[in-house]
Amino acid sequence: MSHSEVCNTAVVRPVAATDSVRTEPGSRVCDYELQEKIGVGGYGEVWRAVGPGGFLKAVKILYGVATGPQAETELKSLKLMRDLRHPFLLNVERIELVDDRLIVVTELADHSLEQRFQEVVRGGGRGIPRDELLGYLRDAADALDFMSEHHGLQHLDIKPENLLIQGRHTKVGDFGLTKSVGTTRLSLVSGFTPLYAPPELFDGRASRNSDQYSLAIVFQTMLTGVPPFNGRTAAQLTSQHLRSAPDLSPLAPGDRAVVARAMSKNPQTRFDGCRQFIDELSRRRQAGNTPHHQRSVAVDRGGSGLTQMVIPGKSGQTDESPIRPAIPLSPLTGPQTAAFRPTLFIAVGGLGARIVRELSRGLTEQFGDGNLPAAAFLCVDTEKSALTELRSSVPDAPVRIETIAIPLRTAVDYRKQSAQHLSWLSRRWLFNIPKSGNVEGMRPLGRLAFIDHQARLRDTVTSLVAGISAETAVAETAARTGLPFRTGGIDICLIGATSGGCGSGCLMDMGFMAKRILHRNGLPNSTVTAMLLHATSVGRQHSDAQDANSVSFLKELSYFSLPGTGLSSDERTLPTGSSPGPFDSTFFIHLGDDLTNADFDDQIASVCRYLRSWSFAPERAELESWRTAERAEQGHQSELTLRTFGLAALDGSVCQLAGSESESLALALVHLWLEQDSAAGSGHNDGAARKALAHDVEFAQEVQSLLESVALTGQQIQEFIPLLLRGE
């Protein structure tokens, strides 16, 4: 079966009205003899035909008359494509009007991507092999980027049936819905395929990244056989495209984040082009497409002295990527110990309060209702209702929870005292304060709220630090948890969303304040850690502002983390000898885009599991050991380094299997070494001995390759094997 559609067009030439259009095998249309129907769509049907000279062509016969909506839409789109030439755009040979029906003749492809998929499924496969599929989609991406970048056009009907295979390459066909992307609202007629349509198409506003969204759905569907949306009707699919997160679980973990970005409901947060999307998928494949521990997220600044920010839409490009190659963690040897210290969690904004609620519930499950006086929560927000809800939802928490509302004052109040703020804040913000007293997602107003209430915040944090660091509090917490809590220093963990107005506006100043308070309380060995969260919620009306808040926060954080930077005001000055920047350690976690409340709950639960491991669980010892080794390896760094993390559940049987195999490996090594020593000392050099020795050498080479793959050094092997043989 062959399938072909339309690409570039020539001028339409009317044919005499006496010609009739009959669509049946053997009939002739425009000197082409129809042989077999190879495609049927909402606009017409496609036939394989034999033309003059015996050449096979594809003939598309549109439904209705030439003045009807189907033919008019097709003709308008073909005119847009008239002058385009690209090796991966299907070529058109002629366009005719026969009996007032539009006829389009194109070159004939071997088959479509959909037909290749069906061929694989009939052979027992799940979908098109990944490398083969990426090869096809790379050709299509080149053609689509050519249309978009050089001519401002979007195809708007990318689906497997319209990606046509010739030999080993793909050509994009059927340009019946192609539109020029502009600022005006598009007059889109029905005809696009709901399963593959981007959400903005349902609003009649195509973007320069609309085809990328469709290409991402093609990738998942052709690879796994399972589309990201399971709607059965056009109405169901429309709702899912507009409001629901795609189901990417059929994909490998390394592909999910890439496809999720390409399918973002906000076109501005997708990749900068289709080819960049495909290249990122290919890069993940080269990296093994498996989860890795990421030591840190930093930017190669090329010695510029400033952290380079990732331009939105450019992070998939190799020279712009902030992610360093993953480095396997070295195995830990011997028992690990950790110094558990008093911990103060300061949560800023609504998302921070939700994390405190979930973390408090987890600690209740872990330790019961008993009091843990060496830990405390402080929740800060401009919305009083959110703090009231928090207090009522965890009335019997084992950890003390303090809340401080920091609402904005009225515009009249700020006008009277405008001189206090105009040195850093534009006058227009002071004259446009929301009547609600909330920052309503506006980052500058978040910092204004902090400055208004900084005296009260400073007093409360100072009191909490003194309370949790008291010797009696530490001793009682150690006895209740069974963990070795110690005095002499504390941990302060700041939690908040950089994408929100309150978190983005307050977190940095809270970090500077915390460092000054620790210095004044004589706690020099303490640390200030920031857990920075980024997410966008469902609905495009706020996502651009949320992205802008995070980018602005990170740029500002980059500047204030350089040595010697600071403000003359008290808010952002640090004691002599303090490390630069507001935070000693910084985590940046991208929770996802277009998140529903249920999505937020899932991501919050993951963050809370990590925070419990970091502060109140035995695995803190392993985390500290890895970080200590990492800091020693990296040495002093003047650049801003962001960490991230990921959590995954492992089957316990896997660990048991690994343990048994490790023991077998160690015993085999000992046996090999003993046998080689015996053979060397006996002096026998007969053929059997040489054959056995050769076998042992081959085995030793395999063992050495295995040891290298798991990153074990010779010293670590010497430490592991005696422990293993002693049963430890």
Side-chain angles (χ1 to χ4, degrees), residues 4-10 12 41-46 58-82 90 92 94-97 101-106 155 157 159 162 173-179 187-192:
S4 184
E5 292 292 347
V6 179
C7 178
N8 307 319
T9 179
V12 176
Y43 276 28
E45 52 191 40
V46 183
V59 176
K60 183 174 183 179
I61 305 171
L62 272 74
Y63 297 137
V65 297
T67 56
Q70 291 94 341
E72 283 191 350
T73 300
E74 182 101 9
L75 191 55
K76 289 179 181 178
S77 299
L78 289 174
K79 288 180 179 179
L80 291 173
M81 301 293 297
R82 176 179 299 167
L90 200 72
V92 69
R94 74 194 271 196
I95 299 176
E96 307 282 3
L97 290 177
R101 293 184 67 180
L102 186 63
I103 311 296
V104 184
V105 181
T106 72
H155 185 283
D157 198 19
K159 57 184 178 181
N162 290 342
D174 194 351
F175 290 85
L177 294 180
T178 299
K179 291 288 184 293
S187 177
L188 295 175
V189 300
S190 60
F192 57 80

Side-chain angles (χ1 to χ4, degrees), residues 17-30:
T18 55
D19 295 345
S20 60
V21 178
R22 291 185 301 147
T23 56
E24 58 186 33
S27 60
R28 299 186 66 83
V29 176
C30 302

Side-chain angles (χ1 to χ4, degrees), residues 419-441:
Q420 299 178 11
H421 305 292
L422 290 179
S423 61
W424 65 274
L425 186 64
S426 171
R427 183 181 299 273
R428 66 185 182 91
W429 293 108
L430 297 180
F431 285 76
N432 292 278
I433 302 296
K435 294 181 179 180
S436 64
N438 302 327
V439 299
E440 297 184 1

Side-chain angles (χ1 to χ4, degrees), residues 8-293:
N8 307 319
T9 179
V11 178
V12 176
R13 177 175 62 84
V15 179
T18 55
D19 295 345
S20 60
V21 178
R22 291 185 301 147
T23 56
E24 58 186 33
S27 60
R28 299 186 66 83
V29 176
C30 302
D31 300 325
Y32 294 88
E33 181 181 340
L34 305 183
Q35 287 188 332
E36 179 185 7
K37 186 186 297 184
I38 58 176
V40 178
Y43 276 28
E45 52 191 40
V46 183
W47 287 76
R48 182 170 60 189
V50 179
F55 290 99
L56 290 174
K57 303 296 178 182
V59 176
K60 183 174 183 179
I61 305 171
L62 272 74
Y63 297 137
V65 297
T67 56
Q70 291 94 341
E72 283 191 350
T73 300
E74 182 101 9
L75 191 55
K76 289 179 181 178
S77 299
L78 289 174
K79 288 180 179 179
L80 291 173
M81 301 293 297
R82 176 179 299 167
D83 299 325
L84 271 65
R85 298 291 183 271
H86 192 278
F88 300 137
L89 294 177
L90 200 72
N91 190 37
V92 69
E93 308 234 342
R94 74 194 271 196
I95 299 176
E96 307 282 3
L97 290 177
V98 179
D99 281 352
D100 205 27
R101 293 184 67 180
L102 186 63
I103 311 296
V104 184
V105 181
T106 72
E107 61 179 315
L108 184 68
D110 299 331
H111 51 265
S112 69
L113 194 67
E114 172 66 24
Q115 290 169 326
R116 171 59 183 146
F117 171 76
Q118 296 298 339
E119 179 185 352
V120 173
V121 172
R122 286 193 297 269
R126 183 185 180 190
I128 301 175
R130 190 177 188 277
D131 290 338
E132 177 187 350
L133 177 61
L134 286 178
Y136 295 143
L137 297 187
R138 186 174 292 108
D139 294 343
D142 282 342
L144 294 173
D145 282 352
F146 170 77
M147 290 173 55
S148 176
E149 295 170 4
H150 296 281
H151 300 277
L153 298 174
Q154 288 288 298
H155 185 283
L156 303 183
D157 198 19
I158 293 299
K159 57 184 178 181
E161 294 87 343
N162 290 342
L163 301 180
L164 309 171
I165 299 174
Q166 284 187 340
R168 296 182 178 180
H169 292 282
T170 303
K171 292 194 174 185
V172 178
D174 194 351
F175 290 85
L177 294 180
T178 299
K179 291 288 184 293
S180 177
V181 178
T183 57
T184 58
R185 192 173 184 86
L186 298 175
S187 177
L188 295 175
V189 300
S190 60
F192 57 80
T193 307
L195 178 60
Y196 298 94
E200 62 269 19
L201 204 58
F202 295 95
D203 293 334
R205 291 188 180 275
S207 81
R208 62 186 300 272
N209 290 323
S210 292
D211 287 340
Q212 180 187 147
Y213 183 98
S214 303
L215 200 66
I217 299 179
V218 170
F219 170 75
Q220 174 170 329
T221 306
M222 294 294 97
L223 179 68
T224 68
V226 181
F229 297 113
N230 60 1
R232 297 293 183 181
T233 66
Q236 291 173 344
L237 287 168
T238 300
S239 176
Q240 290 174 339
H241 281 296
L242 290 173
R243 300 179 182 87
S244 301
D247 178 11
L248 306 181
S249 58
L251 293 171
D255 288 337
R256 292 172 192 163
V258 183
V259 174
R261 179 177 174 184
M263 291 187 64
S264 171
K265 289 178 170 48
N266 179 5
Q268 301 302 318
T269 61
R270 298 171 193 162
F271 291 97
D272 201 41
C274 294
R275 181 57 189 261
Q276 189 185 119
F277 162 56
I278 299 300
D279 286 346
E280 182 64 15
L281 287 173
S282 300
R283 189 184 71 83
R284 297 298 176 101
R285 182 63 172 179
Q286 293 170 0
N289 203 19
T290 55
H292 290 290
H293 171 78

Side-chain angles (χ1 to χ4, degrees), residues 383-404:
E383 297 189 28
K384 297 180 180 179
S385 59
L387 299 178
T388 301
E389 180 183 353
L390 170 65
R391 288 192 297 266
S392 62
S393 62
V394 283
D396 300 321
V399 176
R400 177 183 178 184
I401 299 179
E402 292 283 346
T403 61
I404 296 182

